[in-house]
Amino acid sequence: MKRIKFFNQILKNINYMIEMTCTRVPVQLIDRQTQFGNTRKLDLSECIFVFKSSKSDYEEPLSDEEVDLKPLREATIAVPTPKISEKRKAEEADASKDLKKAKLETKALKAKRPGFTDERYNETSYYVENGLRKVYPYYFTFTTFTKGRWVGEKILEVFAREFRAHPAEEYERCIRAGTLTVNYQKVDVDYRLRHNDLLANVVHRHEVPVTSEPITVIHMDEDVVVVNKPASIPVHPCGRYRHNTVVFILAKEYNLKNLRTIHRLDRLTSGILLFGRTPKKARQMEHQIRNRQVHKQYVCRVEGEFPEEEVVCSEPIEVVSYKIGVCKISEKGKDCVTRFKRLSYNGKSSVVLCKPQTGRMHQIRVHLQYLGYPVVNDPLYNHVVFGPEKGKGGNIGKTDQELVRDLISIHNAENWLGMDGDSEMSLFKPKLDMEDRVSLSNDKDVASSPSSTPGLAEEEQQQQQQQQQQEQQSSKVTVGTQTGSEPPDSSFTNDKMTVDPHCYECKVKYRDPKPSDLVMYLHAWRYCGPGWEYETPLPAWAASDWAEEER
């Protein structure tokens, strides 16, 4: 009661003061804090005061009696969590531990750029045949985590649909034999995939051959290695390529290990390739490329007579499918600009200097396709799969789904130049067309004869051998001469050729790619940035008087 009387007295005093103020002569006050910065006069007689009474969380008792103060708000009721059995806790702990171990192992491999050890490099070795660098077959474990769209599906159905390397029967055999596992554990063919399941498939791996042309060094110091990459060799392991990559070849044959890739080139594109030898230098040059401080110049040979004046193409490019690596001109795409200038014309094709101002996927090739002057031997963008005009003016005449479907039916995955085979389709080795393989009569032929050129004429084989001899006799400056580590003997050794009775690829013999399949007339010629510039010799096909041989 004393507190109530006290508050009532305060209210009376406030009301009295208001009444006294309103009966006096109006007083004008100055408000100098308006939002417009000007002054404003206030008249208290024109002001309205509103007093609002409020209650606290506790009500005052209505009498002098002692009353316990009770809160008006309801107290929060704690709901006990259900108890988890010890068995379930142990199972979840073990599963979490195994999954964490698998993830740590995967991250450890990715943490080391490029992420390989001597044990990995020594998995197999090379041999040279018919002008091609080949890899002896070896055992390898493919790993991947379950993708969202696979969750809830049977493991056999996923492999039969997603990975077309083998028929479903072969995957069923692998699952039952325990070479195809989930979280390193053998499972049943009816096992349904869960989130974060780690799939591992042990295979007898056969890599695709690449050119035996040596990698030449442009510049090398303590911070940077700059090489001239031959066509047909991917930069780093991807898809069907692992040891037959620039990163592996430099490490295995020239002891240039732990190189950090600064940028990439398509598999069939030749030219300048930059590697960082220190993390600091790699980050610095990556930053320069990302901020467009690096000026790039490419040279290519295109079909037809390219205009003499400079041509600027600024059409946006959209990725149609990351899975197979194909792009097109689209309003939905990303902005990009390429400048073109003709260097020469031989009556059939033109040599063009290309200056990309941005770095979109397949930018030069897609822009040339749009202009109607595709690269002469581009197996992807110089193809009628893009329509009768081969995509000129962006006219394809089919939906993205139809385009992807047609590309899959026409090309082998290793011939696509999009992601260098680095796609979901090629993770467990994509299926090859029957015309690209010839069945063997028995397994002995596989081990005794490494040659795989039944479709090549004798004259063509002789030309390849002559070309190989010329390359060996030439006085090129290779990475080996720069590092003092010459490549090992690359002659074929029958003892190194392994055969797996369950390996599907051991039972077939593949045709060697023709020389025309190993090169695309697109070359990274010159790169220059703040305080540095590197340039390679121009390839033979870039000469003004060059004439293409009949294929």
Side-chain angles (χ1 to χ4, degrees):
M1 290 297 294
K2 291 182 180 180
R3 281 187 288 179
I4 294 176
K5 292 179 181 179
F6 176 75
F7 286 122
N8 288 337
Q9 186 63 36
I10 293 177
L11 289 175
K12 288 180 181 180
N13 293 338
I14 293 175
N15 291 332
Y16 175 77
M17 293 175 64
I18 293 175
E19 290 176 1
M20 293 296 294
T21 303
C22 293
T23 55
R24 295 178 183 177
V25 179
V27 180
Q28 292 182 343
L29 300 179
I30 303 295
D31 180 10
R32 302 182 183 277
Q33 298 180 355
T34 64
Q35 60 177 331
F36 304 104
N38 60 336
T39 59
R40 180 179 54 162
K41 295 182 179 180
L42 300 178
D43 192 341
L44 292 179
S45 63
E46 298 176 357
C47 296
I48 299 176
F49 295 87
V50 179
F51 294 90
K52 181 180 178 182
S53 61
S54 60
K55 295 183 179 180
S56 67
D57 289 344
Y58 300 92
E59 290 184 346
E60 295 291 343
L62 299 178
S63 64
D64 294 338
E65 299 177 0
E66 294 293 333
V67 181
D68 293 334
L69 299 177
K70 297 181 180 180
L72 293 178
R73 295 194 183 102
E74 294 291 337
T76 304
I77 301 175
V79 179
T81 57
K83 293 184 178 180
I84 302 176
S85 63
E86 296 297 329
K87 181 179 180 181
R88 183 178 175 184
K89 285 183 179 180
E91 290 177 353
E92 291 182 353
D94 292 341
S96 177
K97 184 178 180 180
D98 293 339
L99 181 60
K100 185 177 181 181
K101 178 182 178 182
K103 288 185 175 181
L104 288 175
E105 290 176 352
T106 304
K107 289 181 179 180
L109 291 176
K110 294 181 178 180
K112 300 176 183 178
R113 300 181 63 184
F116 304 103
T117 61
D118 289 338
E119 183 180 358
R120 300 286 185 181
Y121 294 134
N122 296 330
E123 289 170 333
T124 184
S125 56
Y126 306 108
Y127 66 95
V128 175
E129 182 185 40
N130 297 329
L132 299 174
R133 176 190 293 270
K134 300 183 179 182
V135 177
Y136 292 101
Y138 59 100
Y139 287 97
F140 180 76
T141 303
F142 284 100
T143 59
T144 182
F145 283 101
T146 298
K147 302 184 185 303
R149 65 175 183 273
W150 303 347
V151 174
E153 294 192 54
K154 294 182 179 179
I155 183 173
L156 181 58
E157 294 176 354
V158 170
F159 271 80
R161 182 185 69 248
E162 297 284 340
F163 308 114
R164 306 181 306 140
H166 305 296
E169 293 77 14
E170 175 61 17
Y171 288 123
E172 182 177 357
R173 185 196 67 80
C174 293
I175 295 173
R176 295 188 185 280
T179 58
L180 202 169
T181 60
V182 178
N183 300 324
Y184 300 112
Q185 299 294 325
K186 184 178 178 180
V187 297
D188 189 73
V189 292
D190 294 328
Y191 175 84
R192 294 187 180 274
L193 298 176
R194 304 173 183 176
H195 286 289
N196 295 323
D197 273 349
L198 179 63
L199 309 179
N201 187 26
V202 180
V203 299
H204 190 237
R205 188 166 183 174
H206 295 246
E207 293 198 20
V208 179
V210 299
T211 180
S212 61
E213 182 180 351
I215 300 173
T216 56
V217 64
I218 304 302
H219 173 81
M220 184 168 60
D221 56 31
E222 296 179 352
D223 297 323
V224 179
V225 173
V226 185
V227 300
N228 186 4
K229 183 186 88 69
S232 81
I233 307 179
V235 176
H236 52 68
C238 50
R240 297 195 53 139
Y241 301 87
R242 181 175 171 80
H243 289 264
N244 258 349
T245 59
V246 176
V247 169
F248 262 72
I249 293 172
L250 293 180
K252 288 164 65 77
E253 297 191 347
Y254 308 115
N255 201 33
L256 291 173
K257 302 177 181 179
N258 296 322
L259 297 179
R260 292 160 171 82
T261 53
I262 296 173
H263 68 109
R264 296 200 326 171
L265 294 176
D266 289 336
R267 178 174 60 88
L268 294 189
T269 302
S270 58
I272 281 186
L273 193 58
L274 307 173
F275 291 100
R277 303 189 75 176
T278 63
K280 181 179 179 181
K281 191 64 176 180
R283 286 193 299 268
Q284 178 186 358
M285 300 192 76
E286 286 174 359
H287 179 79
Q288 292 174 1
I289 293 176
R290 193 179 305 112
N291 288 275
R292 300 179 183 175
Q293 296 176 292
V294 177
H295 301 283
K296 309 173 185 178
Q297 295 185 31
Y298 289 70
V299 175
C300 65
R301 182 171 286 276
V302 302
E303 289 186 347
E305 185 177 2
F306 198 85
E308 289 191 58
E309 66 276 5
E310 183 182 59
V311 177
V312 179
C313 185
S314 56
E315 297 294 328
I317 293 178
E318 177 188 14
V319 178
V320 176
S321 171
Y322 285 102
K323 189 171 185 177
I324 64 174
V326 61
C327 304
K328 71 172 185 178
I329 298 296
S330 171
E331 295 179 353
K332 302 177 183 178
K334 296 182 179 180
D335 296 334
C336 50
V337 179
T338 312
R339 298 180 178 275
F340 300 99
K341 179 65 177 177
R342 193 180 84 183
L343 299 179
S344 64
Y345 174 61
N346 66 358
K348 292 184 178 180
S349 57
S350 306
V351 177
V352 179
L353 177 66
C354 316
K355 298 180 179 180
Q357 308 299 300
T358 50
R360 306 302 180 197
M361 178 178 171
H362 296 178
Q363 177 175 322
I364 294 175
R365 297 160 62 190
V366 175
H367 274 176
L368 287 171
Q369 178 197 51
Y370 175 84
L371 296 174
Y373 301 95
V375 176
V376 170
N377 53 355
D378 190 333
L380 180 59
Y381 295 104
N382 190 3
H383 200 285
V384 292
V385 70
F386 284 91
E389 297 184 343
K390 300 180 180 180
K392 180 180 179 180
N395 299 320
I396 300 177
K398 60 183 70 175
T399 64
D400 291 351
Q401 291 76 13
E402 293 172 339
L403 177 61
V404 172
R405 180 200 62 199
D406 294 344
L407 283 169
I408 292 176
S409 64
I410 293 174
H411 290 274
N412 292 332
E414 68 267 24
N415 288 332
W416 293 333
L417 310 180
M419 303 300 289
D420 293 334
D422 187 10
S423 64
E424 298 170 9
M425 292 180 57
S426 59
L427 179 61
F428 284 75
K429 298 186 297 185
K431 184 184 292 183
L432 301 179
D433 293 337
M434 288 302 298
E435 64 182 12
D436 291 321
R437 56 185 181 238
V438 179
S439 297
L440 296 180
S441 57
N442 52 63
D443 291 343
K444 294 181 180 179
D445 293 338
V446 180
S448 61
S449 177
S451 177
S452 52
T453 58
L456 294 179
E458 294 181 2
E459 295 181 358
E460 198 168 359
Q461 293 184 18
Q462 291 177 0
Q463 291 178 0
Q464 288 182 352
Q465 292 175 359
Q466 292 175 0
Q467 181 181 0
Q468 181 181 356
Q469 292 175 359
Q470 291 176 359
E471 291 175 353
Q472 292 176 352
Q473 294 174 359
S474 63
S475 58
K476 288 185 178 179
V477 179
T478 65
V479 177
T481 59
Q482 294 288 324
T483 60
S485 176
E486 290 297 336
D489 182 22
S490 58
S491 58
F492 176 75
T493 303
N494 190 49
D495 295 339
K496 296 181 180 180
M497 182 63 68
T498 61
V499 177
D500 189 315
H502 299 294
C503 177
Y504 178 76
E505 294 193 53
C506 283
K507 300 177 182 179
V508 298
K509 184 159 52 175
Y510 297 91
R511 289 193 177 105
D512 280 346
K514 299 178 181 179
S516 58
D517 297 329
L518 296 178
V519 63
M520 181 174 62
Y521 298 152
L522 177 61
H523 181 82
W525 178 38
R526 178 184 296 159
Y527 275 41
C528 59
W532 58 269
E533 179 177 349
Y534 305 115
E535 178 182 319
T536 71
L538 288 174
W541 52 259
S544 58
D545 58 348
W546 178 85
E548 184 177 11
E549 298 179 0
E550 295 294 334
R551 291 187 288 177

